[in-house]
């Protein structure tokens, strides 16, 4: 499937281009296309579709638009428009499947050819890029913030490519033919001085000097009238050179000779200039390297259909400049990856702030077409003083999940994970970017094992061990040469502003020690003060006495402290305080609600402050709505809060954050398992602003977005003195970790929780943690371990006389026997549960126990007794107002009727079950009911209805990316025809 956005939004269905008729789905598709590198959260989509008038049912409406788009795109499996919590993402098979991506690739290639002196080839490539435009970008899409910003960015890129193509045509001697086009261009973009300069040069080279000078006078008047400014220095210089008749304004000698030779050739062979130009462009096209073809992926070959290629690269740094020698070395990697026996590995090493990550990402985006099976990225946090390096096992888990490996297939042992990564990447053409590595030992398990892949590693260490054992190329990144440092400033501040003050710019470069990070932060500060001369910026930096030595490219944190402090001092009081407190956050990234809790602000205030910090490069928005720290900035913020905030203020901030995480997780858990008992919690402290998701799906999406942060917060709570949070938070996360298949995390968090509960001296909490640890062990099929944990929990609960807690633990123990097929032992335990629930008068608990008793009886062959118990359970659920419990009981009734051969009654029960789960918003429960409904319908002889039920189940399971989808898909395949 291919898409066009350079004009009206259109889709190519294999035969013709067509539009998307409805406005909302068209806006949704446009938003996902322009943000295709990352999942777009449902909340962001709502803002894009409705703005400030977002309806309460926005999430449901978005889901309907997604389903409609999938039908319209022929993507019922959801492999193109992918559900990727906390929202959705478009995953294109090839970058050139979007005309904007093809435009960017052709534009980059054309500019590279122009820089290399191949003007003819550059003109052809750039003309091809411009030919993709059919009008203003996204012209038929109702604009929200993201679409509007992307349309403006693409329009600016088009002008840049147009100017580059004109430059190439001027170099080829086509000045006379360019004059009409350039006159039209300056009418459309009258403030674009570069176009005026090209028009003047085209006129001058055509022998029309007077008209060229008239053009200068026209733009001079225009700028004076519209902006009250003079033309830029380059334009003024061009006019003076024309007045002096500077011979260098003519065609370069080599190009003039080539043009004369072409004219002589045309006279001899009777060919005109236009035909010669066309031949040259045809030859240019014939020399282009063909795009690499993607090898079938392992998953694709296994499933018989294409799998989505991961596109994990963060955005490339805007205003990147220089590093030409390093880029040439990196450009050899794709060929080395194809030719060598194993992956091609390059280590970019250098001092803190030398721009290692910027270089790696800039090149990775440029090289992405060479790796059509995807690009994988991880920040290894090798030098993070607060969190420590990421373990190789954690990084591999992220890669495997990106490669669509279900969580339950990911092994626990690090060696087994590394082996699975090598298996999953074999035969693929993937690009790995391993950012901020600590040492070779951290990197080595992450390397693929076969040819076709390339790996770029960044580190402050040399990692010479990778060169010795893995053949890595070592690229040492020093500070920038002065000319490239000037180019970096010009890219960020504008060439005109840099050219206007050459001496202050030279001093600024020296004061920043030519360190890219220092230059970037300094430039950001100057951009925010467009009315200030650069000499004033230099004076401020020069006045930072006693700390300029920090810009000497030293290896420690202090090497860029001056630049950080210079940006920090300009923040307003509230934003500066928030920046300091961010150093207390233990997670890898943050979102506005958690930051609001940390700083005691409203979410709106926190979001505004985060935007302000991102603007001055003190944090980075690595995904929409989520912000992360560079390791040096984290260390700087941590030092600041230790120095400037009292211990009481820091403790209060951490308390607010922990309460935010705990109470939000507890609220989300209620939607996943509302029948589960809860430990009473004290009210959240003032300013902790907990979240309360609406419904099952939103709760799952919240956990998906935040679970990595929650794990880090849970680990940090105990050492910070918050033992209660250290065991209560893992309990609140347990059902999510269970449902999402993250069973290893489930096990490890409960072990931590048990220690924290004991440390706090909370016997009831310790018992709950043992019970939850037993549940996790059951899912891992460690039944002996599960029994030990559950019996410890029972012992503590009996000592406390807690009958309700005993009932929950006995129910879990029954589940363990059920999983082992011992239904008699399971029945004994659930009958004990029923007695306890009757003793405490818990009607919902009694109903649940009766349902479980019925389930055991039917598996023991006593279907009549099973029916009686489940009908009693259903009556209690309906009388007690428990629709979810009733849905589970209808499911058991369906199973019993099916086992008795009463298929019509089974169909009715499963339909009741489906409707109950649907009303509650439990998508997986609905899909499971549809799965079993199809089986009962099939037994009634209604094959068509059975297949309809299975198709509906498959659509939900594919949307949830649940492994049960394969079971239903197999059913549809085996019953086809």
């Amino acid at each position: 499937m291919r898409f066009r956005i350079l004009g009206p939004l259109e889709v190519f269905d294999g035969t013709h281009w067509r539009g998307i008729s409805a406005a909302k789905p068209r806006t949704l598709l446009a938003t996902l296309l322009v943000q295709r590198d990352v999942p777009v959260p449902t909340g962001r989509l709502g803002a894009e579709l409705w703005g400030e008038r977002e309806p309460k049912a926005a999430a449901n409406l978005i889901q309907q638009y997604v389903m409609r788009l999938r039908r319209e795109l022929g993507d019922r499996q959801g492999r193109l428009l992918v559900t990727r919590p906390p929202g959705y993402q478009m995953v294109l098979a090839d970058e050139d499947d979007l005309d904007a991506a093809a435009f960017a690739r052709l534009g980059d290639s054309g500019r590279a050819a122009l820089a290399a002196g191949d003007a003819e080839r550059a003109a052809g490539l750039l003309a091809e890029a411009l030919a993709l435009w059919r009008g203003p970008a996204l012209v038929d899409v109702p604009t929200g913030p993201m679409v509007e910003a992307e349309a403006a960015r693409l329009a600016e890129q088009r002008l840049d490519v147009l100017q580059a193509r004109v430059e190439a045509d001027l170099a080829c001697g086509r000045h006379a033919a360019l004059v009409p086009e350039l006159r039209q261009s300056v009418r459309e973009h009258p403030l674009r001085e570069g176009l005026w300069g090209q028009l003047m040069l085209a006129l001058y080279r055509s022998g029309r000097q007077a008209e060229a000078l008239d053009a200068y006078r026209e733009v001079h008047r225009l700028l004076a009238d519209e902006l009250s400014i003079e033309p830029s220095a380059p334009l003024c210089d061009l006019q003076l050179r024309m007045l002096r008749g500077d011979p260098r304004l003519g065609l370069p000698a080599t190009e003039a000779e080539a043009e004369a030779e072409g004219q002589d050739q045309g006279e001899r062979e009777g060919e005109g200039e236009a035909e010669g130009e066309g031949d040259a462009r045809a030859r240019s096209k014939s020399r282009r390297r063909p795009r690499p073809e993607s090898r079938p992926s392992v998953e694709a070959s296994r499933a018989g259909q294409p799998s989505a290629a991961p596109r994990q690269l963060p955005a490339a740094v805007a205003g990147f400049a220089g590093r030409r020698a390093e880029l040439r070395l990196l450009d050899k990697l794709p060929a080395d990856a194809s030719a060598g026996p194993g992956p091609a590995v390059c280590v970019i090493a250098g001092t803190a702030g030398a721009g290692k990550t910027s270089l790696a990402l800039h090149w990775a985006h440029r090289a992405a077409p060479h790796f059509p099976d995807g690009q994988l990225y991880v920040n290894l946090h090798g030098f993070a003083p607060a969190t420590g390096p990421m373990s190789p096992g954690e990084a591999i888990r992220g890669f495997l999940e990106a490669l669509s490996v279900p969580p339950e297939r990911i092994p626990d042992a690090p060696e087994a994970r590394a082996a699975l990564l090598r298996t999953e990447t074999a035969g693929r053409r993937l690009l790995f970017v391993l950012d901020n590595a600590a040492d070779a030992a951290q990197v080595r398990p992450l390397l693929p094992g076969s040819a076709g892949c390339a790996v770029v590693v960044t580190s402050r260490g040399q990692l010479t061990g990778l060169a010795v054992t893995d053949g890595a190329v070592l690229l040492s990144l020093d500070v920038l040469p002065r000319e490239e440092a000037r180019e970096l400033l010009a890219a960020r501040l504008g060439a005109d502003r840099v050219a206007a003050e050459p001496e202050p710019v030279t001093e600024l470069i020296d004061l920043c020690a030519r360190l890219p990070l220092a230059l970037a932060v300094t430039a950001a500060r100057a951009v925010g003060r467009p009315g200030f001369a650069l000499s004033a910026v230099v004076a401020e930096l020069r006045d930072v006495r006693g700390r300029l030595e920090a810009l000497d490219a030293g290896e420690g944190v202090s090497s860029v402290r001056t630049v950080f402090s210079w940006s920090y001092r300009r923040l307003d009081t509230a934003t500066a305080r928030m920046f300091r407190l961010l150093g207390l956050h233990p997670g890898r990234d943050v979102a506005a609600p958690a930051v609001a809790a940390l700083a005691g602000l409203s979410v709106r205030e926190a979001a505004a402050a985060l935007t302000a910090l991102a603007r001055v490069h003190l944090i980075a928005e690595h995904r929409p709505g989520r912000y992360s720290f560079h390791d040096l900035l984290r260390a700087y913020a941590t030092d600041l809060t230790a120095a400037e905030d009292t211990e009481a203020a820091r403790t209060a901030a951490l308390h607010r954050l922990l309460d935010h995480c705990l109470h939000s997780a507890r609220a989300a858990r209620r939607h996943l398992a509302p029948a589960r008992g809860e430990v009473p919690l004290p009210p959240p402290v003032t300013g902790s602003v907990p979240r309360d998701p609406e419904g099952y799906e939103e709760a799952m999406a919240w956990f998906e977005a935040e679970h990595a942060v929650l794990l880090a917060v849970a680990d940090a709570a105990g050492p910070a003195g918050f033992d209660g949070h250290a065991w209560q938070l893992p309990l609140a996360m347990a059902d999510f970790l269970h449902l999402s298949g993250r069973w290893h995390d489930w096990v490890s968090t409960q072990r931590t929780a048990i220690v924290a509960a004991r440390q706090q001296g909370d016997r009831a909490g310790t018992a709950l943690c043992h019970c939850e640890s037993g549940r996790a062990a059951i899912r891992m099929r460690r039944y002996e371990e599960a029994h030990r944990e559950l019996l410890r929990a029972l012992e503590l609960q009996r000592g406390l006389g807690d009958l309700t807690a005993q009932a929950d633990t006995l129910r879990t123990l029954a589940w363990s026997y059920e999983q082992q097929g011992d239904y008699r032992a399971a029945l004994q335990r659930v009958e004990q549960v029923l007695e306890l629930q009757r003793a405490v008068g818990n009607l919902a608990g009694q109903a649940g126990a009766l349902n479980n008793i019925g389930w055991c009886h039917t598996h023991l062959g006593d279907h009549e007794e099973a029916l009686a118990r489940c009908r009693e359970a259903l009556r209690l659920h309906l009388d007690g107002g428990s629709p979810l419990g009733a849905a589970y009981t209808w499911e058991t009734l369906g199973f019993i009727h099916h086992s008795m051969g009463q298929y019509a009654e089974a169909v009715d029960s499963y339909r009741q079950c489906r409707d109950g789960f649907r009303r509650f918003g439990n998508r997986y429960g609905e899909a499971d009911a549809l799965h079993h409904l199809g089986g009962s319908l099939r037994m009634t002889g209604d094959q068509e209805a059975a297949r309809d039920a299975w198709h509906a189940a498959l659509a939900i399971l594919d949307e949830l990316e649940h492994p049960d989808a394969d079971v239903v898909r197999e059913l549809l395949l085996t019953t086809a025809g």
Side-chain angles (χ1 to χ4, degrees), residues 359-578:
L359 172 62
L361 292 178
H362 178 80
W363 177 82
H365 280 278
R366 193 167 83 170
H370 294 286
F371 302 95
D373 290 323
Q375 301 88 47
L376 298 166
Y377 171 87
V378 65
N379 184 345
L380 295 171
H381 298 277
F383 294 84
T387 61
M390 178 184 290
S391 70
E394 183 183 353
I396 294 172
R397 171 184 280 278
F399 285 161
L400 291 172
E401 289 181 345
L403 294 168
S404 302
V405 176
E408 63 271 20
R409 278 192 55 217
I410 300 174
D412 201 14
E415 297 82 4
R417 284 191 187 180
L420 181 58
L421 178 65
R422 292 191 293 272
T423 298
E424 291 294 326
T425 56
R428 297 193 186 189
R429 301 174 70 182
L430 292 157
L431 173 60
F432 290 72
V433 178
L434 312 180
D435 196 15
N436 199 9
D439 50 36
Q442 187 187 27
V443 169
R444 200 166 282 115
L446 310 183
L447 299 180
S450 59
C453 296
V455 183
V456 175
V457 185
T458 74
S459 178
R460 293 175 206 167
Q462 291 298 318
L463 306 195
T464 52
L466 289 179
V468 174
T469 60
D470 300 278
V473 175
L474 300 182
L475 194 165
S476 181
L477 209 60
D478 200 354
V479 295
L480 287 168
R482 279 187 171 77
E483 190 53 39
E484 291 189 358
R486 189 177 294 273
E487 289 174 14
L488 187 152
L489 289 174
R492 294 178 180 248
L493 298 175
D496 294 345
R497 192 173 179 188
V498 169
E501 297 186 74
E503 291 182 5
V505 166
T506 299
E507 186 178 358
L508 189 151
I509 289 169
D510 289 337
L511 289 171
C512 290
R514 295 178 284 130
L515 194 68
L517 181 57
L519 289 165
V521 178
T522 304
R525 180 67 189 152
V527 166
R529 306 161 75 186
F532 281 49
L534 292 180
S535 57
V537 176
V538 169
E540 286 188 351
L541 186 58
R542 191 190 303 127
D543 284 344
V544 183
R545 297 175 181 174
R547 289 186 280 176
L548 287 181
E549 67 273 14
L551 295 176
D552 65 359
E555 192 60 33
V557 172
S558 64
S559 62
V560 290
R561 185 180 298 274
T562 299
V563 181
F564 290 158
S565 67
W566 186 57
S567 295
Y568 169 75
R569 287 188 299 107
R570 300 296 181 178
L571 299 174
D572 62 73
T573 302
T575 305
R577 174 177 169 271
M578 194 186 80

Side-chain angles (χ1 to χ4, degrees), residues 577 581 584 598 641 645-656:
R577 174 177 169 271
L581 294 178
L584 301 174
L598 190 66
T641 192
D645 299 308
T646 65
E647 183 176 355
R650 296 195 300 273
T651 301
L654 193 55
H655 195 172
R656 287 192 299 270

